[in-house]
Amino acid sequence: MQASNRLLDFPKPVFSMLWQFMQRFNYELAVLSRFFIAIVGGYFFTAVSVSLLSVVVPVSKVDAVLLSVSASILIYTLVFIYSFYLQSLKTVWISILLSVAVQFFILSLMKGWL
Amino acid sequence: MKGSFFRSMTWLHTWVGLLVCWLLYLIFFAGTISFFRDEVSLWNQPSIHNIEQQTDRIGAQKQQIISGVEYLNTQAPNAPNWRITLPEERVPYLTYGYAKPKEPEQRRASFENTRLDPNNMQPLAPFTDTRGGNFFYRLHFDLHYIDVKTARWIVCFASLFMLIALISGIVIHKRIFKDMFVFRANKGSRSWLDVHNLSSVFALPFHLMITYTGIITLIFMIFPYPAQTVYENGIRGFFNDVSPSSPVTESLQGTAPLVPINTVLDQVYTKWPEADITRVIINNPHKAAATIMVLVSPGKTLRDQSPRLIFSGASGELVAQTDDELTGSKALYESLNSMHTGRLAEPLLRVLYFLGGIAGCIMIATGCIMWAKRLRERMKKNTQPSWGLKLVEGLNLGTLMGLPLATSAFFLANRLLSKQVAERADKEILAFFLTWLCVFIIAFVKRDKLQWCVMAAINSIACFSVPLVNALTTQGNIISYLRNEQWALFMFDSLFLAIGLLFLLQTEKLRTALQAKKPTPINTQEQKV
């Protein structure tokens, strides 16, 4: 940590200021980042998973849509709480991004978008 | 996030709650009033206070529709749309309306309405220009003065935060049952916590239900994706599929005489002998593409979309209708929506809804007060409060005391503004927001116990003056309402008296606290704890 700090310090003062800022507001930035992944990540997660759900369930079109939108807020809430439940912020980011990507991939295969 | 699961949920509960509590208070407050939307609209319209209850409301419907069609046929045979809105239990008058030609800048055509007393079928005097209960209804999800769509997104996210706060609140709560019976008075922030717990726990199913279903009512705005994935033409295709319509009839060209409405009504009564018709909408009368839509009240069923039959206006044939039996997911979606709107509610259930809403307001109010109180208690002597604390305290005073005062101002303006004022409905709303703004200005200048005391006193006076001004400006008053069994109006006035009394109690309590404080300039509360 110390070494990299000095490394950034020397050539570019802008980087150093940014680094200091991040050090100083480490906690605040972590909170912001967690809120961001909870709100935006949770939104994308919900969007893609309810879309997938509506394609997967073996009922009529109208029913599939109504069922999945009714469940959407439940999913969003769970993802939101999940992102505050885990200690490691990195795990939260990776798991949400990865699961969104996987679900989107499956959805695209099923709909033939690829 | 920090340490254990329990601690991270406590953190989440506090901050998510604090972030949106004032907006949520507004949403809950206006939403709670909206449960009595029709009653508020009635109160705001003194000219219809004395319409008597019909003896056989449903029995008179057929004749009312027939004369409505006759009336509209002579008044506006070429109008693109006719609407006959029948009296309901909570709406005592009958409306015949037709769409006026659309102005270029208008999104929807405005209606020319004639309202009648259903007992003698005589037209009523033109209504006072007021939004009535609709103002509070719109306010609770459209806010005001800002773009509707933006407002709804904001409200949706605030509701999501509310849901998160509720769930994390349950998680961090150790003794749900025990806390139902715990109240420690006069113990500083501890007492506030007890009230917070009481109001949350007692109405917890209501809070969860109303928050979840509230977002569901706007769900197609925030999550249109399932509909867009399943349907080729997106959300429009979905809506066409859900609401009954007949593309065959709509595409017809040319003119055709309208069938006698009798033949259509006979079909309705054959299908539903007990039908309580709420509305008849006739599109494109005298055209080949004419449709006659008959809506009946869903009654006590968990159904949001009124059951309806659509007939061809040219042939009188039934062309489309709502499903008689709902499928599983439809029933789920419809029941979620109808639980939120509470249109099915009988008077008793409606009162319970209202009490649940009040519990929600108390829960939110105590939550935001507690945050500020705790910080104050923890603060060392002679230190300056941080700007964050000042901001929270200012918002607390401005919102918690300002909103009730603004509501009183809205109703006072309704009675005191002259009937001839241009754009009168907007002026009433202006009175609402100006009053609120004044409270906010005071709150941001100073927000000590004294200001709370003064605000409570003003609120109390305002609440008492609503029934008083009503008695002075209209023919009725609270006693005559009781005598004539006009329960909606009686409840309205007595509610204001009761709330006025509560504010008076609060004033007294704050005043004694202020006086007790005076002899010793050092904070006595801290020594007690």
Side-chain angles (χ1 to χ4, degrees):
Chain A
M1 213 51 112
Q2 209 65 40
S4 65
N5 195 0
R6 211 171 296 144
L7 226 150
L8 286 167
D9 212 345
F10 184 57
K12 284 181 183 160
V14 181
F15 269 127
S16 118
M17 271 164 71
L18 196 69
W19 185 255
Q20 274 174 7
F21 180 82
M22 279 169 72
Q23 293 269 299
R24 174 121 191 270
F25 295 100
N26 197 0
Y27 174 72
E28 284 80 356
L29 285 174
V31 169
L32 270 184
S33 151
R34 207 176 273 267
F35 263 110
F36 184 82
I37 189 69
I39 295 171
V40 180
Y43 183 81
F44 279 107
F45 183 95
T46 314
V48 72
S49 68
V50 289
S51 304
L52 189 61
L53 182 70
S54 68
V55 176
V56 170
V57 284
V59 286
S60 73
K61 277 172 154 188
V62 176
D63 283 339
V65 171
L66 289 177
L67 181 71
S68 35
V69 293
S70 299
S72 59
I73 298 302
L74 186 67
I75 297 170
Y76 201 166
T77 313
L78 290 177
V79 176
F80 200 107
I81 289 188
Y82 163 83
S83 43
F84 278 87
Y85 161 65
L86 276 195
Q87 188 115 320
S88 150
L89 189 53
K90 208 189 270 172
T91 322
V92 172
W93 268 91
I94 291 171
S95 60
I96 289 181
L97 288 184
L98 205 63
S99 54
V100 169
V102 168
Q103 289 183 85
F104 190 73
F105 181 68
I106 298 171
L107 184 66
S108 319
L109 279 185
M110 291 184 80
K111 294 293 286 180
W113 289 338
L114 291 182
Chain B
M1 148 160 232
K2 306 152 79 186
S4 66
F5 175 58
F6 181 78
R7 276 183 59 198
S8 69
M9 285 298 119
T10 312
W11 187 95
L12 186 62
H13 182 77
T14 311
W15 292 102
V16 163
L18 186 74
L19 208 58
V20 289
C21 63
W22 304 285
L23 180 60
L24 282 174
Y25 184 76
L26 169 71
I27 297 170
F28 258 72
F29 188 93
T32 306
I33 296 176
S34 311
F35 285 129
F36 289 109
R37 172 152 67 133
D38 290 341
E39 284 77 3
V40 171
S41 295
L42 176 74
W43 192 90
N44 271 15
Q45 211 58 266
S47 62
I48 56 169
H49 283 188
N50 292 321
I51 297 180
E52 275 174 40
Q53 278 282 335
Q54 298 169 82
T55 40
D56 182 15
R57 187 175 58 86
I58 296 176
Q61 285 176 345
K62 192 171 177 183
Q63 198 48 51
Q64 288 167 351
I65 297 168
I66 292 170
S67 49
V69 172
E70 269 169 27
Y71 175 84
L72 291 168
N73 207 9
T74 50
Q75 291 289 316
N78 299 320
N81 183 292
W82 295 345
R83 253 176 219 191
I84 299 168
T85 312
L86 297 168
E88 288 169 51
E89 266 164 47
R90 297 162 58 213
V91 186
Y93 56 88
L94 174 68
T95 313
Y96 297 151
Y98 60 86
K100 287 190 284 194
K102 233 192 301 193
E103 304 284 329
E105 74 275 16
Q106 272 180 317
R107 264 182 64 227
R108 281 185 199 156
S110 60
F111 271 74
E112 182 69 44
N113 288 320
T114 310
R115 301 182 183 86
L116 301 102
D117 181 342
N119 294 298
N120 53 18
M121 297 300 272
Q122 289 305 308
L124 296 161
F127 274 21
T128 317
D129 183 22
T130 171
R131 296 285 303 281
N134 282 336
F135 166 63
F136 293 99
Y137 173 69
R138 287 275 161 195
L139 182 66
H140 101 279
F141 60 91
D142 279 354
L143 307 178
H144 210 271
Y145 295 130
I146 61 170
D147 174 54
V148 169
K149 200 143 190 203
T150 322
R152 290 182 181 183
W153 274 94
I154 294 171
V155 169
C156 272
F157 273 98
S159 308
L160 178 75
F161 276 38
M162 171 86 175
L163 202 57
I164 305 287
L166 279 172
I167 293 171
S168 54
I170 298 168
V171 171
I172 61 175
H173 209 82
K174 287 175 196 141
R175 318 164 299 257
I176 285 209
F177 188 71
K178 205 172 153 199
D179 272 355
M180 267 186 170
F181 306 100
V182 177
F183 177 64
R184 286 151 287 196
N186 299 321
K187 282 267 163 57
S189 71
R190 189 69 234 188
S191 308
W192 288 105
L193 178 62
D194 287 345
V195 181
H196 188 63
N197 287 341
L198 271 173
S199 55
S200 326
V201 171
F202 261 112
L204 186 61
F206 173 81
H207 298 326
L208 283 171
M209 178 279 281
I210 211 75
T211 313
Y212 195 92
T213 55
I215 312 174
I216 294 293
T217 57
L218 296 174
I219 199 71
F220 286 107
M221 185 191 72
I222 57 172
F223 288 117
Y225 312 111
Q228 285 169 351
T229 331
V230 174
Y231 284 87
E232 301 293 306
N233 46 351
I235 199 101
R236 190 145 295 283
F238 167 75
F239 281 131
N240 283 340
D241 222 1
V242 176
S243 51
S245 62
S246 170
V248 181
T249 335
E250 277 162 18
S251 59
L252 290 175
Q253 297 292 324
T255 57
L258 195 66
V259 291
I261 193 78
N262 254 331
T263 57
V264 165
L265 290 179
D266 285 342
Q267 291 181 64
V268 176
Y269 287 117
T270 327
K271 188 172 165 62
W272 294 312
E274 316 264 285
D276 177 4
I277 300 175
T278 52
R279 209 170 223 202
V280 176
I281 300 171
I282 303 177
N283 267 321
N284 308 310
H286 304 303
K287 301 270 160 54
T291 54
I292 303 174
M293 176 148 66
V294 180
L295 283 81
V296 303
S297 157
K300 307 294 165 246
T301 50
L302 276 175
R303 214 172 155 149
D304 198 51
Q305 194 183 40
S306 316
R308 63 196 64 182
L309 299 174
I310 302 175
F311 300 91
S312 153
S315 66
E317 251 180 297
L318 180 67
V319 287
Q321 67 171 93
T322 43
D323 307 333
D324 289 329
E325 291 288 326
L326 297 179
T327 55
S329 340
K330 246 189 193 161
L332 171 69
Y333 177 77
E334 288 277 301
S335 57
L336 287 176
N337 271 292
S338 64
M339 275 198 284
H340 188 84
T341 54
R343 292 199 183 100
L344 67 149
E346 294 271 353
L348 179 66
L349 182 57
R350 194 165 288 280
V351 170
L352 285 178
Y353 260 108
F354 188 71
L355 291 178
I358 290 178
C361 291
I362 295 174
M363 171 177 76
I364 296 162
T366 49
C368 42
I369 289 176
M370 206 159 56
W371 192 92
K373 280 256 171 193
R374 277 204 177 147
L375 226 64
R376 278 259 172 214
E377 277 173 15
R378 259 185 241 152
M379 230 165 57
K380 290 193 188 82
K381 251 179 259 171
N382 304 325
T383 45
Q384 283 295 311
S386 62
W387 68 269
L389 179 59
K390 280 188 199 162
L391 177 73
V392 169
E393 285 180 337
L395 284 166
N396 281 352
L397 178 59
T399 317
L400 303 183
M401 286 299 180
L403 203 49
L405 192 64
T407 309
S408 300
F410 176 78
F411 290 119
L412 287 173
N414 174 268
R415 285 295 188 265
L416 294 175
L417 275 178
S418 150
K419 275 197 174 191
Q420 279 76 44
V421 175
E423 288 171 346
R424 195 176 176 286
D426 290 338
K427 298 266 159 62
E428 285 178 19
I429 294 168
L430 193 66
F432 179 92
F433 284 107
L434 276 183
T435 312
W436 200 4
L437 183 69
C438 289
V439 179
F440 258 121
I441 290 170
I442 294 169
F444 276 98
V445 174
K446 231 165 162 26
R447 59 223 150 258
D448 293 333
K449 259 208 173 83
L450 179 68
Q451 279 73 38
W452 278 88
C453 183
V454 170
M455 276 302 148
I458 296 174
N459 254 313
S460 163
I461 296 167
C463 282
F464 285 135
S465 60
V466 168
L468 190 72
V469 168
N470 175 45
L472 293 175
T473 52
T474 65
Q475 277 145 17
N477 56 53
I478 188 163
I479 298 158
S480 78
Y481 297 150
L482 184 64
R483 279 228 205 96
N484 302 335
E485 301 184 2
Q486 289 167 301
W487 297 123
L489 299 169
F490 175 72
M491 287 302 289
F492 188 101
D493 277 11
S494 37
L495 199 64
F496 265 95
L497 290 183
I499 294 168
L501 212 60
L502 281 179
F503 275 123
L504 197 65
L505 282 176
Q506 192 197 5
T507 318
E508 271 309 298
K509 205 164 157 46
L510 284 168
R511 206 169 57 88
T512 40
L514 274 171
Q515 274 172 350
K517 227 173 154 185
K518 251 176 207 162
T520 43
I522 307 155
N523 201 341
T524 45
Q525 258 192 340
E526 229 161 313
Q527 289 159 358
K528 254 193 276 172
V529 178

